[in-house]
């Protein structure tokens, strides 16, 4: 009787305490690590400055390293121009000549094209970093993924801007008005690949800025300005003969890819994440370094 009771208890103990295999432990550890990596955390200013500086340097290096395939770029420009004419949207030349006839307006657009592309983008990054830290990493990923996929476009589809087309009467407004402007014109033309017009990152970045401001800002005037910024940028890139309308469509598609990548990683669109990150412990990379130091 006693022996039977002991066997019954042993059997129950075995059933209620299943063994956990090493593979299950490893899988759980990997899931935990992935969750921690995907959890929004408060950004660190030194890391962000370094990351942005290195990323933009790399982007510029790769973009300018793409071979300037002049013949292919000019042929593609002719194809784009003919396609727009067939669609009835080839008004770039009219806009270019009309705006160029108003000196103060086109000079202002030259400086707009050369400066706000960087100033507004950095300003939005700083704003999100300062006031919406929980959304910062996801918002930054949208921008980085958008820019990264644009490099593929520059490599696969070299395209001359309208101002460099043969046999067309486009005005290079930077040269005509002697303004400091596009790095693809004037004295700075040798610093940038002139045949990387598709997609337009002036549109990709400005639309990123506009949508971010519209989605996150609470003041109505700020949201309106957010939407007006990419619209104004579209007029500027066409009026200065730096891009076709369809280059802007390319920038829009790149931005769509950026949002898709960010949502896939963080599980939500940036503006739907908490404004302030929940405490997620140390970053996995920093945690690993600390463990290595402790062991040594």
């Amino acid at each position: 009787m006693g022996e039977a009771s002991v066997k019954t208890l042993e059997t129950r103990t075995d059933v209620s305490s299943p063994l956990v295999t090493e593979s299950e432990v490893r899988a759980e550890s990997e899931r935990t690590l992935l969750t921690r990596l995907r959890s929004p955390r408060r950004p660190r200013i030194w890391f962000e400055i370094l990351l942005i500086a290195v990323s933009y340097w790399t982007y510029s290096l790769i973009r300018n390293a793409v071979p300037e395939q002049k013949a292919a770029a000019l042929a593609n420009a002719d194809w784009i121009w003919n396609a727009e004419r067939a669609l009835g949207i080839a008004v770039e030349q009219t806009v270019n000549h009309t705006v160029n006839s108003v000196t103060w307006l086109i000079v202002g657009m030259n400086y707009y094209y050369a400066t706000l592309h960087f100033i507004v983008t950095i300003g939005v990054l700083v704003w999100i970093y300062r006031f919406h830290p929980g959304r910062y990493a996801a918002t930054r990923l949208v921008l980085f993924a958008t820019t990264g996929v644009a490099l593929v476009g520059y490599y696969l589809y070299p395209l001359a801007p309208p101002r460099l087309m043969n046999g067309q009467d486009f005005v290079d407004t930077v040269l005509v008005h002697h303004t400091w402007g596009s790095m693809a014109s004037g004295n700075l033309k040798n610093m940038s690949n002139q045949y990387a017009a598709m997609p337009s990152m002036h549109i990709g970045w400005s639309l990123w800025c506009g949508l971010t401001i519209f989605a996150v800002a609470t003041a109505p005037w700020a949201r309106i300005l957010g939407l007006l910024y990419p619209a104004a940028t579209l007029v500027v890139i066409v009026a200065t003969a730096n891009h076709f309308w369809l280059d802007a469509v390319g920038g829009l598609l790149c931005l769509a890819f950026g949002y898709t990548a960010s949502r896939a990683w963080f599980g939500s669109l940036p503006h739907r994440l908490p404004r302030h990150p929940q405490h997620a412990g140390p970053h996995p990379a920093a945690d690993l370094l600390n463990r290595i130091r402790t062991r040594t």
Side-chain angles (χ1 to χ4, degrees), residues 78-90 246:
D78 289 336
W79 188 92
I80 290 284
W81 183 237
N82 290 332
E84 288 191 351
R85 289 164 65 178
L87 294 171
I89 60 173
L246 291 182

Side-chain angles (χ1 to χ4, degrees), residues 70-147:
K70 183 176 180 178
L74 290 172
N76 289 336
D78 289 336
W79 188 92
I80 290 284
W81 183 237
N82 290 332
E84 288 191 351
R85 289 164 65 178
L87 294 171
I89 60 173
V91 298
E92 289 92 334
Q93 196 170 85
T94 301
V95 174
N96 175 235
H97 282 259
T98 301
V99 178
N100 184 66
S101 65
V102 184
T103 303
W104 65 267
L105 180 58
I106 193 60
V107 168
M109 286 189 175
N110 285 342
Y111 288 123
Y112 180 115
Y113 185 87
T115 59
L116 292 192
H117 179 54
F118 303 101
I119 294 173
V120 177
T121 302
I122 293 174
V124 171
L125 275 173
V126 172
W127 173 57
I128 295 295
Y129 174 90
R130 177 66 179 82
F131 297 103
H132 301 267
R135 298 163 179 160
Y136 176 82
T139 305
R140 181 195 62 199
L141 179 57
V142 174
L143 182 64
F144 279 30
T146 298
T147 307

Side-chain angles (χ1 to χ4, degrees), residues 17-287:
S17 303
L19 294 177
V20 179
T21 64
E22 183 179 349
S23 60
E24 290 175 334
V25 172
R26 187 183 301 110
E28 181 62 28
S29 177
E30 291 175 354
R31 281 195 296 269
T32 302
L33 176 62
L34 183 60
T35 300
R36 291 175 61 191
L37 285 171
R38 297 172 65 179
S39 298
R41 61 186 67 246
R42 186 169 295 278
R44 298 182 180 181
I45 185 64
W46 64 267
F47 176 78
E48 295 304 324
I49 293 175
L50 179 63
L51 179 63
I52 292 171
V54 171
S55 298
Y56 184 74
W57 176 80
T58 304
Y59 164 76
S60 299
L61 185 67
I62 296 174
R63 182 180 187 272
N64 295 335
V66 173
E68 290 196 0
Q69 304 174 53
K70 183 176 180 178
L74 290 172
N76 289 336
D78 289 336
W79 188 92
I80 290 284
W81 183 237
N82 290 332
E84 288 191 351
R85 289 164 65 178
L87 294 171
I89 60 173
V91 298
E92 289 92 334
Q93 196 170 85
T94 301
V95 174
N96 175 235
H97 282 259
T98 301
V99 178
N100 184 66
S101 65
V102 184
T103 303
W104 65 267
L105 180 58
I106 193 60
V107 168
M109 286 189 175
N110 285 342
Y111 288 123
Y112 180 115
Y113 185 87
T115 59
L116 292 192
H117 179 54
F118 303 101
I119 294 173
V120 177
T121 302
I122 293 174
V124 171
L125 275 173
V126 172
W127 173 57
I128 295 295
Y129 174 90
R130 177 66 179 82
F131 297 103
H132 301 267
R135 298 163 179 160
Y136 176 82
T139 305
R140 181 195 62 199
L141 179 57
V142 174
L143 182 64
F144 279 30
T146 298
T147 307
V149 76
L151 293 173
V152 179
Y154 299 147
Y155 184 85
L156 296 178
Y157 196 79
L159 179 67
R163 59 186 173 75
L164 292 181
M165 291 180 68
N166 295 325
Q168 301 296 334
D169 190 25
F170 283 99
V171 178
D172 190 330
T173 59
V174 171
L175 291 179
V176 170
H177 297 279
H178 307 288
T179 54
W180 180 88
S182 170
M183 292 184 68
S185 294
N187 296 329
L188 300 176
K189 65 182 180 181
N190 293 325
M191 296 177 61
S192 179
N193 182 358
Q194 298 189 81
Y195 302 108
M198 171 67 84
S200 169
M201 279 299 94
H202 271 75
I203 291 300
W205 287 15
S206 66
L207 195 54
W208 171 85
C209 291
L211 291 178
T212 299
I213 294 171
F214 180 80
V216 174
T218 55
W221 63 266
R223 303 183 75 190
I224 293 173
L225 286 179
L227 294 181
L228 288 178
Y229 174 55
T233 300
L234 179 60
V235 175
V236 167
I237 66 172
V238 172
T240 56
N242 279 292
H243 289 283
F244 296 98
W245 295 117
L246 291 182
D247 298 346
V249 175
L252 175 62
L253 293 176
C254 289
L255 183 65
F257 173 84
Y259 274 108
T260 301
S262 181
R263 190 182 187 284
W265 181 254
F266 288 98
S268 177
L269 292 173
H271 68 280
R272 293 179 177 173
L273 293 171
R275 180 173 181 175
H276 296 281
Q278 298 177 352
H279 180 69
H283 193 279
D287 191 25

